[in-house]
Amino acid sequence: QTDEVFLEAQIQNITTSPMFMEKVSLEPSMMYNVAELNTVDTAGESESTFGSRTYLQPMDTRQYLYCLKPKQEFAEKAGVIKGVTVIGKLDIVWKTNLGERGRLQTSQLQRMAPGYGDVRLSLETIPDTVNLEEPFDITCKITNCSERTMDLVLEMCNTNSIHWCGVSGKQLGKLHPSSSLHLALTLLSSVQGLQSVSGLRLTDTFLKRTYEYDDIAQVCVVSSEVKQ
């Protein structure tokens, strides 16, 4: 759904004595910023998820989690960030029970590059809860991930529960490589419960190729009495 990359690292003490974990950090590649997700806020103070004691007992394992986000200058270029596989390297520093320091720095870590296809459709805004049979708005972002210019037409197909408001077959015009456009759409649901937003179709008139988008997002539909 996003360009964020989550990295989970499992670190195990395979020695026969406890070790003090001095530092476990991720040095991101030049295209990413990193946020460590190994702390929680308690009473306004940041506290490690592993507690105040950072000793790792023999054969014990810890899981470290990091979130990488593309830097702004790369996030705006869909074709660039799509092919990036190098995300950074882990830097691990520890001490043994005798005070000896050890360090391990991994080689550059790789990820599987996501395949967006030629056209990527992502959801920018959608309400969490909507009223039954009352129109609501969503905003979509359409990105040309190919290396050619497209001429796009938008079709909206109703499902058993989701009904699109507006005229299907709208001309979106030409979209150049790595360019994006935002689209505001209106729809309503005729069925209560958790409903899937589906039924968008994009057709490139140059190649006569159609791209289908179903299960774009989910929205909770309630009766107006419940919401009020």
Side-chain angles (χ1 to χ4, degrees):
Q1 298 297 325
T2 70
D3 289 319
E4 294 178 349
V5 178
F6 288 89
L7 172 69
E8 179 187 353
Q10 294 188 355
I11 297 177
Q12 184 180 29
N13 177 8
I14 59 174
T15 69
T16 57
S17 59
M19 61 173 57
F20 173 75
M21 302 303 296
E22 190 170 294
K23 183 181 76 168
V24 179
S25 62
L26 177 65
E27 298 179 5
S29 64
M30 62 174 292
M31 291 188 177
Y32 287 99
N33 292 317
V34 64
E36 295 195 18
L37 305 179
N38 305 306
T39 58
V40 292
D41 290 330
T42 305
E45 295 184 1
S46 183
E47 187 176 306
S48 172
T49 54
F50 307 114
S52 57
R53 298 184 179 182
T54 55
Y55 286 96
L56 192 59
Q57 299 298 325
M59 304 311 295
D60 279 358
T61 302
R62 282 184 183 169
Q63 294 172 302
Y64 292 83
L65 185 63
Y66 303 89
C67 176
L68 297 110
K69 296 182 180 181
K71 294 180 180 178
Q72 189 64 33
E73 58 267 33
F74 299 112
E76 296 174 349
K77 301 177 181 179
V80 174
I81 202 67
K82 180 182 68 170
V84 174
T85 57
V86 175
I87 58 176
K89 50 189 177 182
L90 278 173
D91 191 18
I92 308 166
V93 181
W94 68 90
K95 288 182 180 178
T96 67
N97 56 352
L98 297 178
E100 297 175 339
R101 175 173 289 187
R103 183 180 182 184
L104 172 65
Q105 190 173 69
T106 67
S107 56
Q108 289 286 351
L109 303 174
Q110 306 284 324
R111 66 153 183 161
M112 294 290 291
Y116 296 136
D118 290 340
V119 187
R120 181 185 180 190
L121 186 144
S122 57
L123 204 61
E124 297 287 289
T125 61
I126 185 172
D128 293 327
T129 305
V130 300
N131 281 349
L132 179 68
E133 297 182 344
E134 290 187 12
F136 62 94
D137 298 323
I138 65 172
T139 304
C140 296
K141 181 180 179 182
I142 299 171
T143 305
N144 182 355
C145 298
S146 72
E147 297 179 354
R148 56 185 174 80
T149 299
M150 296 183 174
D151 187 26
L152 297 176
V153 175
L154 173 70
E155 295 181 50
M156 301 177 291
C157 306
N158 293 334
T159 65
N160 292 333
S161 58
I162 292 295
H163 305 271
W164 296 93
C165 304
V167 179
S168 184
K170 179 180 179 181
Q171 296 277 347
L172 301 182
K174 292 182 175 60
L175 190 62
H176 298 288
S178 300
S179 297
S180 302
L181 62 86
H182 287 80
L183 204 59
L185 300 171
T186 303
L187 57 159
L188 62 83
S189 176
S190 58
V191 180
Q192 293 187 56
L194 194 63
Q195 302 301 328
S196 175
V197 177
S198 301
L200 288 182
R201 305 288 182 264
L202 289 171
T203 299
D204 178 15
T205 60
F206 287 154
L207 294 185
K208 307 298 182 184
R209 185 177 298 171
T210 299
Y211 306 90
E212 300 182 358
Y213 300 94
D214 295 313
D215 296 321
I216 303 166
Q218 291 184 321
V219 63
C220 182
V221 183
V222 300
S223 66
S224 57
E225 293 81 5
V226 172
K227 191 172 182 180
Q228 292 173 357

